[in-house]
Amino acid sequence: MKNELQEFYAAIESIETAMMTTRRADGHLRSRAMANQKRAAGADLWFVCRDGSAKLADIGNDEHINLSYYRDGNREWVSVSGTAVISRDRDKIRELYAPDWSLWFDKEGDPRNGTPEDPRMVLIGVTVHAAEHLDVKAKPVVLFELVKGWVTGEEPEMGEMHKLVEPRRP
């Protein structure tokens, strides 16, 4: 299990953006791009957003979310299902803070100034319940498999599927 968890983190480590899907109060799904943040205790994955955003209202109605990642260069993908919690913990915000966050928080005067003290900054912590990812073979092999599948009508073997279910946390 620990090996699969490490493979999961390795699969998403170099992908900067996830698509976060939440369920709106009317039952419809909504996805939006979210920047990955560094790893820290308290959740398996962290994201930052602006207080009052629709995603926070969605999570307040239903904590279940999906995160999807895609690497265009080799067609690897990761799908994560989990639960999200909202955190306004200033210490955790300071711990995770990155200078580029200020780009998303307009300078509106102190304390609304894009620093870790900005009260508009809210964290979303995600606990992973299950994840799947495709570890793609080398690109020439993928091209061969696609052509072979097209010619033979058989499903191409793109790579190795990995599954992570209810990871154990330290």
Side-chain angles (χ1 to χ4, degrees):
M1 179 62 72
K2 187 174 183 179
N3 189 33
E4 286 293 320
L5 186 58
Q6 294 305 340
E7 285 184 28
F8 163 74
Y9 281 125
I12 66 168
E13 189 173 59
S14 64
I15 305 174
E16 295 178 5
T17 305
M19 291 300 294
M20 179 184 285
T21 303
T22 57
R23 185 174 305 278
R24 300 183 329 199
D26 65 6
H28 291 280
L29 301 176
R30 180 170 182 210
S31 298
R32 76 278 289 157
M34 298 290 290
N36 288 322
Q37 303 304 317
K38 62 186 171 186
R39 289 172 48 191
D44 296 319
L45 300 165
W46 287 102
F47 300 91
V48 66
C49 68
R50 183 185 294 263
D51 199 12
S53 67
K55 66 185 84 51
L56 296 178
D58 294 349
I59 292 167
N61 289 321
D62 185 346
E63 66 185 3
H64 297 91
I65 66 160
N66 178 268
L67 298 166
S68 57
Y69 299 83
Y70 182 73
R71 184 176 289 111
D72 193 39
N74 64 0
R75 301 181 191 261
E76 287 182 333
W77 57 265
V78 181
S79 178
V80 177
S81 63
T83 52
V85 295
I86 299 165
S87 173
R88 292 176 173 79
D89 179 341
R90 282 295 124 200
D91 289 334
K92 185 58 72 177
I93 290 170
R94 285 185 206 98
E95 176 186 351
L96 290 168
Y97 181 78
D100 66 336
W101 290 11
S102 65
L103 297 171
W104 302 103
F105 297 88
D106 300 338
K107 305 269 188 265
E108 296 176 6
D110 191 45
R112 299 167 111 50
N113 54 11
T115 70
E117 306 310 316
D118 193 320
R120 299 171 296 168
M121 288 185 185
V122 177
L123 297 174
I124 298 173
V126 176
T127 299
V128 174
H129 293 282
E132 293 182 89
H133 73 274
L134 178 65
D135 188 8
V136 174
K137 299 175 182 180
K139 196 168 189 173
V141 175
V142 169
L143 293 174
F144 170 77
E145 285 292 329
L146 288 171
V147 170
K148 183 178 95 177
W150 181 71
V151 170
T152 65
E154 296 175 9
E155 184 176 341
E157 294 181 31
M158 301 293 288
E160 184 179 350
M161 279 295 292
H162 298 272
K163 293 185 182 200
L164 176 66
V165 179
E166 292 293 335
R168 284 189 231 159
R169 287 158 185 85

